Amino acid sequence: MAGVGNNPNSPRQKMINLMYLVFIAMMALNVSSEVLDGFGLVDDSLQTSISNTSNRNDIISNELQTYYQANPAKAEEWYNKSIRVKNASDDIYDYISDLKERIVKVADGKDGNLNDIRNKDDLEAASRIMLAPIDGEGKKLREAIDSYRKAMANMVDDPGKTAVIEATLSTQPPKQAGISQRNWEESLFENMPVAAAITLLSKLQSDIRYAQGEVLNNLLSSIDVGDYRVNIIEAQVIPESQIVMRGSQYKANIVLSAIDSTKRPVVYVNGQRLPDANKGLFTVNTGTTGTFPVKGYIEMPNSDGSMLHRDFESQYFVTEPNATVAPTLMNVLYAGYTNPIRIAVPGIPSGNITATMTNGTLSRNGDLWDARPATIGTEAIISVNARMADGRVVQMANTPFRVRALPDPLPYIDYKDQNGNIRKFRGGNLAKRSLVEADGILAAIDDDILNIAFTVLRFEISYPDSFGNMINEPVEGSKFSERQKNYIRGLARGKQFWINRVVARGPDGIERTISPIEVRVN
């Protein structure tokens, strides 16, 4: 019938549910620019898919309008429904477009441009727009998608097509074994880089246009179009995914857009005939990365005995598996110290992820991992494996890290300011009262990146006597000795002394002599 002939929206790209998850590894502080640029390529592919789907939807809408104008009594109900479908689809599509613009402006400022995102690795913009406690848009978007999904499903009588629409627009969060369940919006936008969030929203827009096409196609097929003739027959390649992970399978249906169930077409792909039992399903294993062609033709006998011949051509892309491994503190690991690490694989529950490390130990600690490298100057390589839904274990990342010694801490004296707040004195002028009240000295790395306490093992204070000779008063431990206290109590204003030869030990077990403190009595 004519509706089938002009409808290019037969069951399409399950790819849209798989191809983009590979790139979303963005819960890390050290994401490479190549991965972020990859999101732009995926988003460009999505925009092309959206454009093609929208054009196909317009073809169906125009055909419904043509049928309505030719026979209003027969087509009025379906035409009116198609108008409601278009309006509902455009509303939620435009709403998502607005969310994308808002996220980019939070990341790049009021002049932010969706087509030229500068801060692609910004991890806060998407959360601020989508997950804000009071006015976050994530819950609103989920409710809008739920409402749209129910409305579209109610217009389709075929249970199979209804199931496809419901699965495509599902807002069920992925199940994650062993940890508390997150809702749909948190699983998509929490700690997600801007580049990934924009791609996810584009994917939702693609799903909206796909669902719109499925419903329009169903409305078109519901019209008794026996009075109309098929005027367009096209060969199509409908892949489950155009981007697949190395080691997985690329699958695509090779079909004609108008099918006569009494005649079985003959399909040739890349020079070989598909078995009739495949019913047009083309499957090939992927062993290497790159772009690969899907080219051939379909033949089907006409009623007059001649053969109908239609060529087709498409391609698919094979990418390397991808995972994100990044230290939560900085881009190096410290020997002899437990470094918190975040490991995430897009679309894989954390319980299905395993990881190992060379030159040290790696263990799971709740949502994080603890990396403790052993040897300074030797790379530590973290390998990540993921167990897929079909039971296969796939290596997702093999990431090297530099191993360094912990930097030296700085000594300090704890004292209370005029408001009773604890402060750190690292040198200069200090009130005599604060010096007398202090128990001793401490040492730590607290540079806003690391916050690591060290144990002070010994130190001494040095001061000149009345003849200008330097007197040294050593002590074991971190506390001032009584002799040191008596000296401090006897100091006049403006006098100075030095706390030096401070020896401290860190969590790596290394003893080190650290910088002195110069003290002037205020």
Side-chain angles (χ1 to χ4, degrees):
M1 68 185 207
V4 175
N6 284 342
N7 171 30
N9 263 337
S10 44
R12 63 134 198 177
Q13 308 163 348
K14 290 181 183 176
M15 61 163 278
I16 299 296
N17 292 327
L18 298 175
M19 68 184 286
Y20 310 105
L21 295 178
V22 175
F23 291 94
I24 305 168
M26 301 325 102
M27 302 162 64
L29 302 175
N30 188 30
V31 183
S32 70
S33 60
E34 290 83 1
V35 173
L36 291 174
D37 290 340
F39 285 114
L41 297 176
V42 173
D43 195 73
D44 289 343
S45 177
L46 272 172
Q47 296 305 323
T48 300
S49 177
I50 291 171
S51 177
N52 292 338
T53 306
S54 297
N55 291 337
R56 294 169 181 175
N57 292 346
D58 290 341
I59 292 173
I60 301 174
S61 295
N62 292 337
E63 191 165 3
L64 278 163
Q65 184 177 19
T66 300
Y67 294 161
Y68 170 69
Q69 292 172 348
N71 193 337
K74 182 180 292 186
E76 182 177 13
E77 177 184 355
W78 317 112
Y79 174 71
N80 289 338
K81 286 184 177 181
S82 74
I83 297 299
R84 295 200 298 271
V85 169
K86 182 181 186 304
N87 291 339
S89 302
D90 288 348
D91 287 346
I92 193 169
Y93 184 97
D94 293 341
Y95 173 45
I96 295 173
S97 294
D98 179 67
L99 293 178
K100 291 161 68 174
E101 293 282 355
R102 291 173 60 186
I103 290 173
V104 171
K105 289 186 183 299
V106 168
D108 289 350
K110 63 181 181 179
D111 297 324
N113 183 353
L114 184 59
N115 297 319
D116 185 20
I117 303 173
R118 297 189 300 274
N119 296 311
K120 298 178 181 179
D121 58 347
D122 188 310
L123 297 173
E124 298 180 0
S127 294
R128 287 176 58 184
I129 295 299
M130 305 304 295
L131 303 178
I134 297 177
D135 57 354
E137 297 288 347
K139 181 180 179 182
K140 299 177 185 178
L141 177 59
R142 169 163 50 87
E143 292 172 347
I145 292 174
D146 288 341
S147 176
Y148 176 81
R149 182 183 66 249
K150 292 176 183 177
M152 296 301 102
N154 288 337
M155 290 193 181
V156 178
D157 297 327
D158 186 334
K161 291 184 178 180
T162 300
V164 170
I165 292 173
E166 290 178 343
T168 300
L169 298 176
S170 173
T171 56
Q172 291 297 317
K175 294 182 180 179
Q176 300 185 6
I179 63 174
S180 58
Q181 183 70 23
R182 296 191 299 172
N183 58 35
W184 175 81
E185 54 270 26
E186 289 173 341
S187 66
L188 261 64
F189 300 106
E190 188 175 36
N191 294 326
M192 192 64 65
V194 168
I198 295 302
T199 302
L200 279 170
L201 290 172
S202 294
K203 187 256 182 189
L204 287 176
Q205 289 179 310
S206 180
D207 291 341
I208 295 298
R209 291 306 187 206
Y210 168 66
Q212 177 188 357
E214 284 294 298
V215 175
L216 289 176
N217 182 41
N218 184 75
L219 295 176
L220 185 62
S221 64
S222 298
I223 302 175
D224 181 8
V225 293
D227 298 334
Y228 305 100
R229 293 178 178 271
V230 173
N231 56 8
I232 296 177
I233 299 178
E234 294 181 346
Q236 293 184 334
V237 179
I238 305 177
E240 289 187 359
S241 175
Q242 282 188 313
I243 299 180
V244 294
M245 191 180 300
R246 178 173 55 80
S248 59
Q249 291 184 328
Y250 168 81
K251 295 183 178 181
N253 279 297
I254 313 299
V255 298
L256 286 173
S257 59
I259 299 296
D260 182 350
S261 60
T262 65
K263 300 175 182 178
R264 178 70 62 188
V266 177
V267 181
Y268 286 85
V269 184
N270 295 341
Q272 293 186 347
R273 177 174 174 170
L274 288 186
D276 292 341
N278 286 23
K279 298 180 180 180
L281 179 63
F282 171 61
T283 303
V284 62
N285 293 323
T286 59
T288 58
T289 61
T291 302
F292 300 90
V294 181
K295 185 177 181 180
Y297 60 90
I298 298 177
E299 288 185 340
M300 189 165 65
N302 290 317
S303 57
D304 61 359
S306 62
M307 295 297 292
L308 175 67
H309 181 102
R310 290 292 183 271
D311 295 323
F312 60 83
E313 185 172 358
S314 184
Q315 60 185 1
Y316 63 95
F317 314 92
V318 180
T319 65
E320 286 287 349
N322 187 295
T324 298
V325 181
T328 59
L329 299 178
M330 55 194 304
N331 62 348
V332 297
L333 299 178
Y334 291 105
Y337 172 70
T338 301
N339 300 259
I341 297 288
R342 188 177 300 280
I343 299 177
V345 179
I348 303 297
S350 61
N352 290 353
I353 298 172
T354 58
T356 58
M357 185 179 81
T358 63
N359 185 26
T361 60
L362 182 67
S363 59
R364 191 188 295 270
N365 184 8
D367 291 339
L368 299 176
W369 295 71
D370 289 339
R372 193 175 180 89
T375 304
I376 298 168
T378 301
E379 263 189 350
I381 300 176
I382 295 180
S383 300
V384 179
N385 295 317
R387 188 173 70 254
M388 314 304 285
D390 58 6
R392 291 179 302 111
V393 176
V394 179
Q395 186 177 75
M396 307 301 292
N398 209 34
T399 306
F401 290 95
R402 293 169 294 172
V403 178
R404 294 180 177 176
L406 282 171
D408 286 346
L410 293 176
Y412 63 91
I413 298 173
D414 269 349
Y415 73 97
K416 290 183 179 179
D417 63 14
Q418 296 177 348
N419 298 320
N421 298 316
I422 300 296
R423 302 293 186 185
K424 289 181 173 64
F425 172 75
R426 299 192 186 279
N429 297 323
L430 185 63
K432 183 176 180 180
R433 177 180 176 181
S434 297
L435 281 169
V436 172
E437 291 177 349
D439 290 332
I441 67 170
L442 303 169
I445 303 172
D446 53 358
D447 55 2
D448 295 328
I449 297 177
L450 298 174
N451 187 10
I452 305 172
F454 280 63
T455 300
V456 174
L457 302 177
R458 54 189 174 274
F459 69 95
E460 64 183 32
I461 64 173
S462 301
Y463 55 89
D465 62 10
S466 57
F467 299 102
N469 299 315
M470 294 301 296
I471 305 298
N472 297 317
E473 289 287 350
V475 67
E476 293 293 321
S478 63
K479 305 293 185 181
F480 288 124
S481 69
E482 192 60 32
R483 289 174 60 89
Q484 291 173 337
K485 282 280 192 179
N486 289 336
Y487 168 73
I488 293 173
R489 291 188 187 101
L491 287 174
R493 184 175 182 179
K495 293 295 183 179
Q496 68 183 46
F497 66 94
W498 292 264
I499 300 174
N500 53 26
R501 297 182 182 175
V502 181
V503 178
R505 182 171 56 221
D508 55 4
I510 298 175
E511 295 185 12
R512 61 196 81 194
T513 301
I514 59 179
S515 59
I517 304 176
E518 180 183 1
V519 185
R520 291 186 296 275
V521 179
N522 189 5

